[in-house]
Amino acid sequence: MDSSGRREADEAEAKSKGSGPFALAKENNVYANFGILPEQKVKAEIRSPPFKFATTWIEFTSSPIDQFNKDPRAFPIATNGEIFPWHELRLPTVIIPLHYDLLIHPNLTSLDFVASEKIEVLVRDATQFIVLHSKDLEILNASLQSEEDVRYRKPGESLTVLSYPAHQQIALLVPEKLRADLRYSVAIDFQAKLADGFEGFYKSTYRTLGGETRTIAVTDFEPTEARMAFPCFDEPLFKANFSIKIRRESRHIALSNMPKVKTIELEGGLLEDHFETTVKMSTYLVAYIVCDFTSVSGTASSGVKVSIYASPDKWSQTHYALEASLKLLDYYENYFDIHYPLPKLDLVAIPDFASGAMENWGLVTYRETSLLFDPKTSSISDKLWVTKVIAHELAHQWFGNLVTMEWWNDIWLNEGFATYMELISLNITYPELQFDDDFSNTCFEVIKRDSLNSSHPISNQAKTAIQIKEMFDAVSYNKGACILNMLKDFLSEDTFRKGIIHYLKKFSYRNAKNDDLWHSLSNNCLESDSASGGFCYSDSKKTSNTLAFLRKNVELKEMMATWTLQKGIPLVVVKREGRSLRLQQERFLSGVSKEDPEWGTLQERYLWHIPVTYSTSSSHAIHRHILKLKTDTLDLSEKTDWVKFNVDSNGYYIVHYEGQGWDELITLLNQNHTLLRPKDRLGLIHDAFQLVSAGRLTLDKALDLTRYLQRETSIPALLKGLEYLELLYRMVERRNISDVTENLKHYLLQYFKPVIDTQSWVDKGSVWDRMLRSTVLKLACYLNHAPCIQKATELFSQWMESSGKLNIPTDVLKVVYSVGAQTTAGWNYLLEQYELSLSGAEKNKILYALSTSKHQEKLMKLIELGMEGKVIKTQDLAALLFAIARNPEGQQLAWNFVKENWTHLLKKFDLGSFPIRMIVSGTTSHFSSKDELQEVELFFESLKAQGSHLDIFQIILETISKNIKWLEKNLPTLRKWLLITT
């Protein structure tokens, strides 16, 4: 069925009011959505089978009300002192929502809203109460109508409302038991203040060019905040249709998921906008906005209207986003072979937004810096970021919106896929951005986290709202994307694509879990296998070993379970003995060496099915093997001088070469580095420094490997080597280890002088040329390289003299501002320009520059402005504290501020939210002394005593311990190596 037909079917189902038990044809969609196939329905009526949620079976041998009657003492107490009839965090499954009719009236003067809703529900088992979610809402009244009441327009029966805030739930008690297989209509009137933070239905403000402050109202519901805007069944499995009406003043517009169908004039000059009924979707994807924004629009090839909205003064910054959105929407419709199912797609730049963006179906919301592009102040990195975020959110319209994970433990099915689709889509739509060369960094970033014992599996248990929020991390996003990329490389791009199309089509408007994806990929492979005479791949280079592996449907599930159900990353140890390769796999642990007593325990029961690849000096071919055992042996067909595993860094594993392996590769790099692929050189640099942290490679060996970088022609590899050397510099600088700091600074400026000297101060060249320019000049000026300081000072002076009208090249804007911020006059002028700038990209660069000041009173002023939230918006406070903590003059200041103002910070950001995690991690995870570790431990213990616990606490403590060990073990080596080489 095409998308328009699908919408008509959903609306017909939502509006149908037939009495009596469902006809089978009518009920199929509802039960299939909950994992019950139509042919199972008869059994369901008779036996009331176990109900599948995520990875857990919840079996009702009797109805919830019967359980309640047996032992009411096991149930919690509601706010009015009565017993609350439900004790689980998850909602009961006896009531299924089908359709919500929402009417919302926000008042942007009094900053509150009144609302009403009617929820059409299906009763699956007889019950005397309805439990749903509600948070910080004042319920004014609630009533219930049966199908017969609705048909004969009888008034609803009033319901008793009980509230249990600890679980963010309300219970509606009904006078008579609701009968199974009947529909009812629940009406609720409610009101609340517009939220102060960034969740639920909240207020956001912006300043016009004329200095006027204006307020808008916007929603952000993922993962569990729809309940802050309207009482609802706020779990992803409870998909329904939504009909939304919004009341507003004439000076505003209203936006929602679907197009507006009509506007009604009300008394007092109010207008009421009615929107089309949505397709079936989860509550967290509902969205509505009341604002005074303007837009630019275009039409995709399929006829979908795409619009970019922003505050009126920023309208000129919306055009690139429109171009990218149209191009990417066309690409995804073709790639997925599924039309985008809505008539329109709006992308809106929100002035106050906690994360980067949110994929609400048909109404995608963004932080301004993730959507708007100003050619005068946005760098090439800013352009890449905006394009990536748009690609990510548009991919969600299929992965996440069309097919949604059953429960938040599998959020990676949404976020991992959307992150992976950034790579696939940008390679085709924007090849000039060369994103393919940057994707390895997506994996390298999460390896730092995943190599700690405090990491978690991709598919991980999450029950509470805080645990659910913490699932939105690098493991779900980055690792999810990396294992998908590895799987695509293993299966072939064509087979992988067919598999995900099969998955999306099979589970459209429904929910899925891990195993459903593996089943779709396996089934597609087997179907291709039989259709093509026994060959499962389009890539003729795949080995017979790989073919045999996938002929059994169950084995792909087995293989991927090792990547999604256990935490961590494998280390593949390679030893070459003549023409034999001895392979061994173990768990890679950063900060834990084989000599440590806990190493053996931490290795127990870890085993991966690793699709390894390798190349040799004697062949350009990519060889493949599945390493399923702890040890294995491969035979080479001919003698070789060297072997390199993990070709193009497509595999999610680290490689260590025992014996002469590393020496052979270092010699190769020094003699002719081009014999290795560019991404292989990048991977070697990464793995070498990771192995140092695990005690498997000495630091001097890793540093020796970087000695070839003067001749490196691949900029990503050059930047990776430079990144590790800069990390070393900043670590010893923060610890004030002056002799090593000075020697390393001298080495960097001397060794990379040819690279530094060839950089121009203009915006030209490829994406990577421009990123190299920004990175190298920023480091050179940070190291007080005289020519760099002189040029940046000159440009900054000219910019000040022009009253900020001079257009400084965007690639060097951050460098110029940072140098300018070192004088009092420059710092003050930058702060003035920060207030005046309409470009979020420029404001980010200015704020970073201001955070590099050596004067603590200036840094404290920035923090105060961030807490106040007017000049520096609260949304930028986390990034500001992170930047100040990276400044040697500000690290203690930022940390002390967090300790002393924790309670105030929790009033601005929810515990478990990304900003809070960024604040606590950003101000502590770079520490590297035992005193600092003890201080952080005491602080975390005090928070736990207050009931504030986050999983990230353990990650931070483990990271600091790792830093301490690293310095103790490697500082003497670094000191000696620098003396020899400089």
Side-chain angles (χ1 to χ4, degrees):
M1 186 183 292
D2 64 21
S3 59
S4 59
R6 180 77 215 189
R7 286 198 299 276
E8 289 167 8
D10 280 339
E11 288 170 22
E13 180 192 339
K15 293 173 183 173
S16 173
K17 302 286 183 187
S19 61
F22 280 172
L24 186 60
K26 189 186 292 183
E27 73 199 6
N28 284 357
N29 281 345
V30 176
Y31 282 93
N33 188 47
F34 278 77
I36 301 174
L37 298 174
E39 61 269 20
Q40 295 175 313
K41 175 58 179 71
V42 176
K43 297 176 186 175
E45 290 175 337
I46 299 169
R47 298 191 312 186
S48 190
F51 201 79
K52 190 69 180 291
F53 261 119
T55 55
T56 308
W57 286 97
I58 302 173
E59 184 161 6
F60 292 127
T61 52
S62 58
S63 71
I65 193 68
D66 291 336
Q67 292 182 359
F68 171 69
N69 288 334
K70 284 179 183 176
D71 187 10
R73 293 171 301 176
F75 288 77
I77 304 300
T79 51
N80 66 351
E82 294 185 27
I83 294 175
F84 192 80
W86 188 248
H87 62 283
E88 302 285 345
L89 278 167
R90 298 282 293 274
L91 296 180
T93 56
V94 294
I95 303 284
I96 299 170
L98 304 177
H99 179 263
Y100 293 77
D101 214 321
L102 276 171
L103 171 63
I104 305 107
H105 179 196
N107 186 320
L108 300 189
T109 303
S110 58
L111 302 179
D112 53 19
F113 67 95
V114 293
S116 63
E117 68 178 348
K118 286 187 178 179
I119 312 174
E120 183 183 359
V121 299
L122 166 68
V123 177
R124 184 171 171 268
D125 283 319
T127 182
Q128 209 153 351
F129 57 83
I130 301 169
V131 179
L132 62 165
H133 288 110
S134 177
K135 181 184 177 185
D136 299 333
L137 300 174
E138 181 186 352
I139 308 298
L140 303 175
N141 54 68
S143 61
L144 179 80
Q145 288 179 298
S146 65
E147 291 178 282
E148 188 177 326
D149 294 337
V150 172
R151 188 180 305 113
Y152 294 108
R153 298 186 178 181
K154 293 180 181 179
E157 290 187 274
S158 182
L159 303 177
T160 299
V161 182
L162 300 180
S163 177
Y164 187 53
H167 287 179
Q168 301 172 3
Q169 293 172 354
I170 57 172
L172 310 178
L173 308 186
V174 298
E176 297 178 11
K177 269 191 181 182
L178 304 180
R179 291 164 53 196
D181 288 331
L182 291 186
R183 295 185 183 193
Y184 294 83
S185 178
V186 180
I188 304 175
D189 297 326
F190 55 97
Q191 64 185 16
K193 300 290 287 183
L194 288 171
D196 285 327
F198 304 90
E199 299 171 329
F201 193 21
Y202 70 93
K203 63 178 182 289
S204 173
T205 60
Y206 72 94
R207 281 181 60 183
T208 66
L209 266 175
E212 178 191 357
T213 298
R214 294 183 182 175
T215 302
I216 70 168
V218 59
T219 60
D220 192 56
F221 291 161
E222 189 179 35
T224 58
E225 276 71 48
R227 63 195 68 173
M228 293 176 67
F230 58 98
C232 56
F233 298 81
D234 199 13
E235 295 177 6
L237 199 56
F238 290 112
K239 290 194 172 188
N241 304 91
F242 297 82
S243 298
I244 295 173
K245 304 179 186 74
I246 299 175
R247 290 181 180 171
R248 60 177 173 86
E249 296 179 43
S250 58
R251 64 194 173 104
H252 293 129
I253 62 169
L255 302 170
S256 190
N257 303 86
M258 300 296 286
K260 184 172 66 177
V261 290
K262 65 178 179 180
T263 299
I264 298 173
E265 289 191 26
L266 305 175
E267 290 182 8
L270 283 178
L271 300 175
E272 184 176 285
D273 292 331
H274 293 217
F275 297 88
E276 277 186 37
T277 300
T278 70
V279 295
K280 190 177 291 183
M281 65 185 194
S282 303
T283 49
Y284 77 88
L285 295 170
V286 174
Y288 38 88
I289 301 170
V290 176
C291 63
D292 62 346
F293 287 0
T294 53
S295 65
V296 57
S297 299
T299 305
S301 300
S302 58
V304 176
K305 183 182 179 183
V306 179
S307 303
I308 315 296
Y309 285 85
S311 58
D313 294 334
K314 297 179 181 178
W315 178 84
S316 62
Q317 300 175 42
T318 59
H319 299 285
Y320 176 71
L322 179 63
E323 173 210 305
S325 301
L326 289 168
K327 195 180 285 192
L328 285 159
L329 188 63
D330 285 346
Y331 174 78
Y332 284 140
E333 288 193 308
N334 175 66
Y335 184 87
F336 296 132
D337 193 33
I338 300 172
H339 284 303
Y340 171 76
L342 310 187
K344 62 91 173 176
L345 174 63
D346 297 335
L347 295 80
V348 188
I350 306 299
D352 300 278
F353 205 78
S355 60
M358 175 57 209
E359 66 267 20
N360 317 298
W361 215 345
L363 184 62
V364 187
T365 46
Y366 293 79
R367 184 180 279 235
E368 288 182 333
T369 49
S370 298
L371 186 66
L372 305 181
F373 181 80
D374 175 22
K376 291 182 179 179
T377 58
S378 297
S379 67
I380 194 64
S381 295
D382 295 325
K383 189 172 193 175
L384 180 58
W385 173 251
V386 167
T387 317
K388 275 174 57 176
V389 178
I390 293 173
H392 184 101
E393 303 308 322
L394 265 58
H396 270 312
Q397 307 303 300
W398 286 265
F399 280 103
N401 299 8
L402 184 64
V403 179
T404 312
M405 75 276 138
E406 282 193 0
W407 182 245
W408 300 106
N409 63 304
D410 277 336
I411 186 59
W412 84 273
L413 288 174
N414 287 17
E415 299 301 349
F417 255 112
T419 305
Y420 168 73
M421 288 310 301
E422 295 170 19
L423 169 68
I424 300 301
S425 62
L426 296 192
N427 279 351
I428 303 300
T429 56
Y430 285 93
E432 68 275 15
L433 291 179
Q434 297 175 277
F435 182 56
D436 183 59
D437 292 329
D438 189 53
F439 185 76
S440 296
N441 285 319
T442 300
C443 306
F444 296 160
E445 284 169 18
V446 70
I447 285 171
K448 287 184 288 190
R449 161 79 183 273
D450 206 26
S451 60
L452 299 175
N453 189 46
S454 49
S455 186
H456 65 80
I458 286 180
S459 183
N460 194 40
Q461 188 179 48
K463 292 182 179 179
T464 68
I466 291 173
Q467 288 171 343
I468 291 167
K469 285 176 184 175
E470 285 203 275
M471 284 295 293
F472 289 78
D473 66 359
V475 173
S476 296
Y477 285 72
N478 297 33
K479 184 177 179 179
C482 295
I483 67 163
L484 289 171
N485 185 57
M486 177 173 67
L487 185 57
K488 179 264 297 180
D489 181 64
F490 171 65
L491 293 175
S492 87
E493 192 156 350
D494 183 56
T495 299
F496 184 81
R497 180 189 173 196
K498 287 176 181 175
I500 61 175
I501 290 173
H502 180 268
Y503 168 79
L504 288 171
K505 288 185 174 180
K506 182 175 181 178
F507 294 98
S508 288
Y509 304 98
R510 295 168 58 196
N511 299 77
K513 54 190 180 299
N514 254 347
D515 288 353
D516 296 322
L517 176 61
W518 312 140
H519 188 72
S520 288
L521 287 165
S522 298
N523 274 1
N524 174 70
C525 187
L526 293 172
E527 288 161 14
S528 306
D529 189 14
S530 57
S532 58
F535 190 68
C536 190
Y537 302 96
S538 59
D539 183 351
S540 61
K541 293 180 182 177
K542 302 289 182 185
T543 67
S544 58
N545 191 31
T546 312
L547 292 172
F549 180 83
L550 264 186
R551 290 196 189 279
K552 295 180 182 176
N553 179 17
V554 70
E555 291 214 18
L556 182 62
K557 175 183 169 182
E558 268 183 37
M559 172 184 170
M560 296 314 295
T562 70
W563 296 97
T564 59
L565 302 183
Q566 67 179 349
K567 64 184 177 182
I569 177 170
L571 172 67
V572 176
V573 181
V574 180
K575 187 169 186 180
R576 186 159 63 90
E577 297 175 342
R579 291 190 182 181
S580 291
L581 295 174
R582 288 180 54 197
L583 306 183
Q584 179 180 325
Q585 67 160 292
E586 59 190 57
R587 181 185 176 194
F588 178 74
L589 289 162
S590 182
V592 183
S593 65
K594 274 186 120 172
E595 294 74 34
D596 292 332
E598 66 268 31
W599 189 86
T601 305
L602 294 174
Q603 292 291 331
E604 289 176 3
R605 296 186 302 279
Y606 280 88
L607 185 71
W608 286 265
H609 292 186
I610 310 171
V612 297
T613 56
Y614 61 97
S615 60
T616 70
S617 63
S618 55
S619 169
H620 288 294
I622 299 175
H623 305 278
R624 298 176 183 272
H625 177 70
I626 305 296
L627 181 59
K628 298 169 66 175
L629 305 172
K630 279 285 187 184
T631 59
D632 208 344
T633 302
L634 301 178
D635 293 323
L636 299 173
S637 58
E638 52 191 319
K639 188 182 178 184
T640 184
D641 295 328
W642 52 264
V643 61
K644 165 66 177 66
F645 271 71
N646 198 2
V647 177
D648 279 335
S649 297
N650 279 322
Y652 188 74
Y653 56 93
I654 287 173
V655 184
H656 175 49
Y657 303 91
E658 286 194 334
Q660 299 302 308
W662 278 108
D663 291 330
E664 290 165 358
L665 290 167
I666 291 170
T667 300
L668 176 64
L669 289 171
N670 285 319
Q671 290 177 351
N672 186 359
H673 64 277
T674 61
L675 290 176
L676 289 172
R677 295 171 172 84
K679 287 183 186 175
D680 283 339
R681 305 196 297 266
L682 174 71
L684 282 174
I685 295 168
H686 168 265
D687 284 7
F689 281 93
Q690 291 301 312
L691 289 163
V692 171
S693 71
R696 301 303 286 266
L697 196 67
T698 58
L699 178 60
D700 56 347
K701 190 80 75 179
L703 290 169
D704 286 345
L705 186 145
T706 68
R707 294 288 290 169
Y708 90 97
L709 284 173
Q710 277 185 335
R711 299 179 300 282
E712 180 56 86
T713 51
S714 169
I715 293 174
L718 175 59
L719 286 176
K720 181 55 63 177
L722 202 55
E723 174 191 320
Y724 280 113
L725 292 168
E726 184 178 351
L727 281 171
L728 297 181
Y729 178 81
R730 289 184 179 268
M731 179 181 278
V732 293
E733 182 193 35
R734 278 195 299 268
R735 287 295 305 277
N736 197 26
I737 305 169
S738 55
D739 64 318
V740 179
T741 303
E742 280 304 308
N743 286 339
L744 186 49
K745 171 183 169 181
H746 178 70
Y747 174 77
L748 285 165
L749 291 175
Q750 179 190 55
Y751 186 76
F752 290 100
K753 187 176 188 300
V755 180
I756 297 169
D757 290 348
T758 55
Q759 300 308 311
S760 60
W761 292 70
V762 294
D763 291 341
K764 67 177 185 180
S766 70
V767 167
W768 284 103
D769 289 332
R770 297 178 64 178
M771 287 208 249
L772 179 68
R773 177 180 305 122
S774 297
T775 304
V776 168
L777 291 179
K778 181 183 166 194
L779 177 60
C781 280
Y782 184 77
L783 297 175
N784 285 314
H785 184 51
C788 186
I789 297 290
Q790 183 180 342
K791 181 65 176 178
T793 303
E794 180 187 321
L795 285 171
F796 187 80
S797 298
Q798 292 171 1
W799 178 68
M800 277 185 67
E801 288 165 11
S802 73
S803 300
K805 292 182 174 62
L806 176 72
N807 288 332
I808 298 172
T810 60
D811 295 338
V812 298
L813 205 50
K814 185 186 279 189
V815 182
V816 171
Y817 286 166
S818 297
V819 172
Q822 302 315 306
T823 67
T824 298
W827 195 91
N828 290 335
Y829 186 71
L830 279 166
L831 186 57
E832 290 171 17
Q833 292 300 305
Y834 181 87
E835 289 191 61
L836 297 173
S837 177
L838 288 175
S839 164
E842 181 179 37
K843 288 172 87 80
N844 273 356
K845 294 175 181 66
I846 293 175
L847 193 57
Y848 171 81
L850 292 170
S851 77
T852 64
S853 171
K854 301 295 187 289
H855 300 282
Q856 291 200 351
E857 68 276 8
K858 288 183 170 60
L859 300 177
M860 196 62 225
K861 182 177 181 179
L862 292 177
I863 295 174
E864 289 166 357
L865 290 172
M867 288 294 285
E868 185 185 42
K870 293 178 181 177
V871 175
I872 299 174
K873 281 186 167 287
T874 304
Q875 68 172 4
D876 297 315
L877 180 60
L880 173 64
L881 285 167
F882 184 95
I884 290 174
R886 290 302 180 271
N887 178 347
E889 300 301 322
Q891 58 179 342
Q892 198 60 42
L893 181 76
W895 167 229
N896 288 340
F897 176 82
V898 170
K899 285 188 295 181
E900 293 162 11
N901 293 273
W902 182 254
T903 305
H904 297 297
L905 289 169
L906 284 184
K907 290 176 183 175
K908 296 182 179 294
F909 309 105
D910 275 7
L911 187 68
S913 66
F914 176 74
I916 278 290
R917 284 181 281 144
M918 185 179 185
I919 287 169
V920 71
S921 174
T923 55
T924 57
S925 58
H926 57 283
F927 287 158
S928 57
S929 73
K930 290 179 180 177
D931 287 345
E932 289 167 329
L933 175 61
Q934 186 178 18
E935 202 175 318
V936 176
E937 281 177 332
L938 288 171
F939 178 62
F940 288 169
E941 283 169 13
S942 72
L943 295 184
K944 288 177 188 176
Q946 299 166 29
S948 297
H949 174 71
L950 293 173
D951 289 343
I952 201 168
F953 292 170
Q954 187 56 40
I955 295 166
I956 291 166
L957 293 176
E958 193 176 345
T959 301
I960 298 172
S961 297
K962 182 187 79 170
N963 295 342
I964 293 168
K965 282 184 181 179
W966 194 99
L967 265 180
E968 287 175 349
K969 183 168 186 176
N970 294 299
L971 183 60
T973 306
L974 177 59
R975 180 178 276 120
K976 182 179 178 181
W977 188 86
L978 286 169
L979 289 172
I980 294 169
T981 54
T982 54

